[in-house]
Amino acid sequence: MEFIDRRTTWLEEKQQRQLLYTPADEVVLFLIHFRHYPYDILLSSMFTGCKQTVNSTRHRMQEWFFIILSPELSWGSPESRLADGAVAFFDDDMVLAFLVDGSEEGVKGSQDPTTDLLTWSNKKKQPSVTALVFTALNGRVLGIGESRFGSDNDDVLLTEEPIKWKESLSPKEFGFGDSAFNKHQHLQVYTIRNQGSLHRHFSHYRIRIEISIGKIKKFGAASSIIRMIVQGNEEAVLRHHHQVWVIGAVFVNRYKLG
């Protein structure tokens, strides 16, 4: 009911003309799509309207959900990260405050070799879109990085990721990642390769970010192959992927999904 009420209020405040669907229809249609990722032809049979109406509605609702939910992803403060399970050690000289990992989602191939080269992931052996996921030690998602095509590996992602998140870290705080991030101690990210003793102490925390990513992937929109043509729509595909993962992350944080 929360989202239906918020959607109704949003339309009233924006003085937007109500289209074919009621606010309740719009919310339910989007949530079905987000969870199960059915084709528009199935949704159009469930909700009175043509495929084009369903398509425009779910795109409009994805933008809306992203707008209202994205502010809920926050790095917070050093104190809030301690409350989320951050661990101090070495006489409190260092604090393990966050975990980082990359995740990929498949995308349709194209007939254009240049586009396929851009999207091809050597790790997954398929065209894909990828992004970094940051979590606290208790698994709460702190942020979703910028979406990039699969030709960029985790190391490149962290190198080129805007590091606004780092501004919230104290000098004592650091994150933990796998060996893909071995060059980034200067970004306060340690790995098995460059800090073996930390790995022995904290490798058991790694499973927590994998669980959080797995929960996001329970949403069909975040785990199924993205049904968008990449060629000529590169920015739209990346925006779609980022929105889906941010919305999914907020749902996981909010509802403690299992």
Side-chain angles (χ1 to χ4, degrees):
M1 287 299 297
E2 174 199 349
F3 295 123
I4 295 172
D5 291 341
R6 291 179 70 174
R7 181 63 178 170
T8 302
T9 302
W10 175 283
L11 292 171
E12 291 173 351
E13 291 177 348
K14 300 294 183 181
Q15 296 183 334
Q16 291 188 8
R17 180 176 61 86
Q18 182 60 50
L19 302 177
L20 175 63
Y21 298 129
T22 67
D25 289 335
E26 290 182 319
V27 169
V28 173
L29 186 153
F30 173 76
L31 292 178
I32 291 174
H33 165 77
F34 194 79
R35 177 62 181 86
H36 299 288
Y37 206 55
Y39 284 92
D40 288 342
I41 191 170
L42 176 58
L43 288 173
S44 67
S45 69
M46 298 169 63
F47 297 83
T48 304
C50 63
K51 285 173 56 179
Q52 290 78 9
T53 301
V54 166
N55 181 278
S56 61
T57 299
R58 62 178 178 78
H59 279 292
R60 182 170 63 251
M61 291 303 292
Q62 181 169 302
E63 290 277 353
W64 181 76
F65 268 91
F66 177 75
I67 289 170
I68 67 167
L69 295 182
S70 57
E72 294 189 24
L73 288 189
S74 170
W75 280 75
S77 64
E79 291 74 24
S80 67
R81 287 187 288 277
L82 282 172
D84 282 337
V87 177
F89 63 103
F90 296 155
D91 296 325
D92 292 339
D93 285 338
M94 299 185 73
V95 177
L96 176 57
F98 68 94
L99 305 168
V100 58
D101 202 358
S103 186
E104 296 188 37
E105 183 176 3
V107 67
K108 289 176 63 175
S110 73
Q111 302 299 316
D112 177 49
T114 303
T115 301
D116 284 344
L117 184 63
L118 172 69
T119 61
W120 186 258
S121 166
N122 286 325
K123 180 179 178 180
K124 295 293 185 179
K125 306 301 181 186
Q126 65 174 5
S128 72
V129 182
T130 183
L132 296 179
V133 180
F134 299 89
T135 73
L137 267 65
N138 64 359
R140 183 176 69 86
V141 182
L142 301 171
I144 302 294
E146 288 190 349
S147 297
R148 305 286 292 268
F149 286 115
S151 57
D152 290 334
N153 59 29
D154 290 350
D155 186 65
V156 172
L157 290 177
L158 192 59
T159 300
E160 299 185 4
E161 178 73 19
I163 55 174
K164 294 179 181 178
W165 54 269
K166 189 174 182 296
E167 296 172 0
S168 71
L169 298 177
S170 72
K172 292 183 178 182
E173 291 182 295
F174 70 96
F176 198 70
D178 61 26
S179 58
F181 303 103
N182 69 85
K183 299 178 181 178
H184 297 292
Q185 188 168 336
H186 66 291
L187 291 179
Q188 293 171 246
V189 175
Y190 290 78
T191 69
I192 296 170
R193 186 177 300 179
N194 64 24
Q195 200 72 12
S197 61
L198 296 183
H199 170 59
R200 288 192 297 273
H201 279 288
F202 298 111
S203 60
H204 61 284
Y205 288 109
R206 288 280 307 139
I207 190 64
R208 299 185 183 181
I209 189 170
E210 294 170 2
I211 290 173
S212 294
I213 290 174
K215 289 178 178 179
I216 296 173
K217 287 186 172 182
K218 287 187 176 181
F219 295 106
S223 58
S224 304
I225 291 178
I226 299 171
R227 297 192 293 261
M228 296 176 69
I229 298 173
V230 175
Q231 188 177 3
N233 298 291
E234 290 84 357
E235 291 302 317
V237 171
L238 295 178
R239 179 171 177 78
H240 164 82
H241 179 266
H242 182 69
Q243 289 181 341
V244 164
W245 275 74
V246 167
I247 294 168
V250 174
F251 283 163
V252 168
N253 285 351
R254 270 181 164 229
Y255 305 116
K256 313 299 181 188
L257 301 176

